[in-house]
């Protein structure tokens, strides 16, 4: 304690001897100055096994922005019931959608990052691109460190959620901020908050739907299914619901559909609380009971296919629709590695990089 005080009072007594190596030589400082883009998606288990699913769910559902109830109430439920029972139930569902390179979300997220990097380079931009997952691997911290190792002094963070929600986009900002708080030499940071009405994003989905209809024909109804949120999230100020409605309206208008031909619904309800309505599965069942025989479902909020699209919509909603009397429910795939979407993502990134050397 006294030695520390002397260092502050008489620092010259503790300077290194002149003949010692100077730790501040310029050659010791790593060259920095590049610009980086960090794409961040939700995350996925590393394998379709109960331990990996449990590890992923444990991190995801422990986030207080995802489950907004007091920890002393949620913790016994999470560790006593959810993480004990749910992973085993999810194993066959994940195995049913697994790809050679991993989960679809991971495979397509990597392709999106690679496609963005390639397209930016073709446009003459020297920008480093990295992929991080909010939960699981590669972590946000690992992806940021990777960009720093590549010499990035500036990082544009792109949460891969078109519609803003505190439980998605805000958690990305939280994770980036927590890691930056541990860095002595922090990079300059920018964030894209939302792009729910970005013309390129909307047109990419419209193009995907139109190409699908050109090949397979049009349905009687188009259902635009977004991931659900508890109603209290919106009541507390989340703009997510309005973002989804605006995306749905823009898609309907660009497709030339009447309001009664396209519906906005919400899926993936969890727990007993009231969530955003109308719910997707009950909606398609009601359509079938009303005599609608053909329905297409698209999920605009998902930029890459995952369990919630390939299993919940493509299988569960389809089965529910047919059991209720419908004949055909088709799922239109997510944007994934669609070239039009990669080009739109590149345009979005370039606009947000303005003013930075790239």
């Amino acid at each position: 304690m006294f030695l520390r005080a002397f260092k502050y009072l008489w620092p010259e007594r503790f300077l290194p001897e002149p003949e010692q190596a100077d730790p501040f030589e310029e050659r010791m400082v790593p060259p920095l100055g590049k610009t980086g883009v960090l794409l961040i998606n939700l995350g996925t288990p590393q394998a379709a096994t109960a331990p990996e699913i449990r590890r992923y769910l444990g991190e995801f559902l422990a986030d207080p922005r995802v489950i907004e109830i007091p920890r002393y109430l949620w913790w016994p439920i999470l560790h006593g019931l959810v993480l004990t029972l749910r992973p085993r139930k999810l194993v066959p569902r994940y195995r049913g959608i697994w790809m050679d390179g991993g989960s679809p979300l991971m495979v397509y997220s990597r392709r999106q990052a690679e496609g963005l990097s390639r397209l930016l380079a073709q446009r003459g931009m020297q920008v480093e691109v990295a992929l991080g997952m909010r939960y699981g691997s590669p972590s946000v911290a690992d992806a940021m460190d990777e960009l720093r190792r590549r010499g990035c002094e500036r990082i544009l963070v792109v949460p891969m959620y078109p519609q803003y929600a505190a439980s998605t986009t805000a958690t990305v900002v939280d994770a980036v901020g927590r890691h930056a708080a541990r860095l002595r030499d922090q990079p300059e940071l920018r964030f894209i908050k939302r792009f729910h009405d970005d013309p390129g994003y909307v047109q990419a989905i419209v193009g995907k739907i139109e190409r699908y209809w050109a090949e397979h024909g049009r349905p009687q109804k188009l259902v635009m299914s977004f991931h659900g949120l508890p109603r209290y999230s919106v009541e507390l100020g989340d703009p997510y619901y309005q973002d989804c409605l605006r995306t749905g309206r823009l898609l309907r208008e660009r497709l030339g559909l009447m309001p009664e031909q396209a519906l906005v619904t919400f899926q993936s309800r969890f727990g007993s609380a009231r969530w955003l309505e109308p719910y997707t599965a009950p909606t398609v069942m009601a359509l079938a009971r009303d005599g609608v025989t053909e329905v297409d479902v698209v999920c605009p909020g998902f930029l890459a296919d995952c369990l919630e699209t390939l299993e919940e919509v493509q299988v569960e909603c389809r089965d529910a629709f047919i059991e209720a009397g419908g004949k055909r429910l088709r799922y239109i795939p997510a944007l994934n590695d669609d070239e039009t979407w990669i080009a739109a993502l590149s345009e979005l990134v370039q606009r947000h990089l303005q003013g930075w050397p790239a």
Side-chain angles (χ1 to χ4, degrees):
M1 179 176 178
F2 289 110
L3 179 60
R4 186 180 305 168
F6 280 125
K7 286 184 177 181
Y8 283 109
L9 292 173
W10 294 285
E12 65 275 3
R13 290 176 175 263
F14 298 91
L15 290 175
E17 295 297 328
E19 63 272 10
Q20 292 181 351
D22 185 355
F24 301 107
E25 288 185 20
E26 186 176 355
R27 62 182 176 83
M28 299 293 290
V29 181
L32 293 174
K34 292 183 180 180
T35 295
V37 175
L38 176 55
L39 305 183
I40 300 180
N41 213 324
L42 182 71
T44 174
Q46 294 299 294
T49 63
E52 289 298 327
I53 296 173
R54 184 178 299 110
R55 185 177 295 109
Y56 167 72
L57 289 179
E59 183 181 0
F60 173 48
L61 297 177
D63 191 328
R65 283 198 186 269
V66 174
I67 305 295
E68 296 185 82
I69 62 176
R71 180 160 291 196
Y72 70 88
L73 293 176
W74 173 238
W75 228 238
I77 299 173
L78 175 63
H79 292 277
L81 292 176
V82 177
L83 297 182
T84 301
L85 303 176
R86 191 159 178 79
R88 288 196 297 270
K89 294 181 179 179
L90 289 176
V91 168
R93 297 176 62 184
Y94 270 109
R95 287 179 177 172
I97 66 168
W98 214 253
M99 301 173 68
D100 290 340
S103 74
L105 185 139
M106 178 63 74
V107 170
Y108 289 122
S109 294
R110 284 176 179 154
R111 292 181 186 176
Q112 289 171 359
E114 293 165 358
L116 175 63
S117 178
R118 184 167 54 251
L119 191 53
L120 290 175
Q122 290 173 0
R123 296 178 177 181
M125 302 185 69
Q126 297 182 353
V127 176
E128 300 290 334
V129 179
L131 172 68
M133 293 293 172
R134 178 59 189 87
Y135 311 101
S137 179
S139 68
V140 171
D142 289 343
M144 289 181 66
D145 289 344
E146 174 61 26
L147 288 176
R148 293 292 283 169
R149 282 191 292 271
R150 297 187 206 170
C152 293
E153 182 70 17
R154 296 159 298 276
I155 298 176
L156 172 66
V157 181
V158 188
M160 301 296 275
Y161 312 113
Q163 297 76 28
Y164 176 91
S167 58
T168 53
T169 308
T171 67
V172 168
V173 179
D174 293 343
V176 170
R178 277 195 299 269
H179 187 61
R182 295 193 289 267
L183 301 176
R184 180 164 297 278
D185 183 12
Q186 296 178 330
E188 188 175 352
L189 294 169
R190 288 182 185 174
F191 297 85
I192 296 181
K193 180 177 180 179
R194 54 154 73 88
F195 49 95
H196 63 296
D197 56 358
D198 175 75
Y201 156 72
V202 172
Q203 189 55 45
I205 300 176
V206 169
K208 186 101 176 182
I209 295 172
E210 289 179 334
R211 290 191 298 274
Y212 187 88
W213 286 351
E215 183 176 354
H216 302 285
R218 285 183 172 235
Q220 294 169 279
K221 300 282 186 179
L222 174 67
V223 172
M224 296 172 283
S225 180
F226 295 83
H227 198 289
L229 277 186
R231 282 179 60 91
Y232 63 74
S233 297
V234 175
E235 293 166 357
L236 290 173
D238 232 308
Y240 179 76
Y241 181 67
Q242 293 300 323
D243 283 2
C244 294
L245 292 184
R246 179 162 175 78
T247 300
R249 179 177 62 80
L250 290 172
L251 290 173
R252 177 180 61 78
E253 292 174 350
R254 299 284 177 84
L255 289 166
L257 301 176
M258 300 299 292
E260 63 273 14
Q261 293 177 293
L263 299 81
V264 170
T265 63
F266 299 89
Q267 64 186 81
S268 305
R269 180 185 175 193
F270 179 79
S272 59
R274 187 179 177 188
W275 282 43
L276 295 178
E277 297 174 279
Y279 302 137
T280 300
T283 296
V284 299
M285 293 172 68
L287 289 174
R289 287 192 291 266
D290 289 341
V292 176
T293 58
E294 297 182 353
V295 168
D296 282 356
V297 182
V298 65
C299 298
F302 296 85
L303 299 179
D305 277 319
C306 57
L307 190 71
E308 285 80 4
T309 63
L310 296 176
E311 211 275 343
E312 183 177 352
V313 171
Q314 189 169 251
V315 177
E316 292 183 2
C317 285
R318 179 200 63 199
D319 292 348
F321 179 71
I322 293 174
E323 287 177 8
K327 292 184 178 179
R328 185 177 67 183
L329 184 146
R330 304 178 302 192
Y331 167 65
I332 300 175
L335 290 172
N336 294 327
D337 54 355
D338 182 88
E339 292 183 0
T340 306
W341 160 236
I342 301 300
L345 177 60
S346 174
E347 294 290 342
L348 179 70
V349 165
Q350 286 181 259
R351 288 200 302 274
H352 285 268
L353 286 176
Q354 289 184 23
W356 276 359

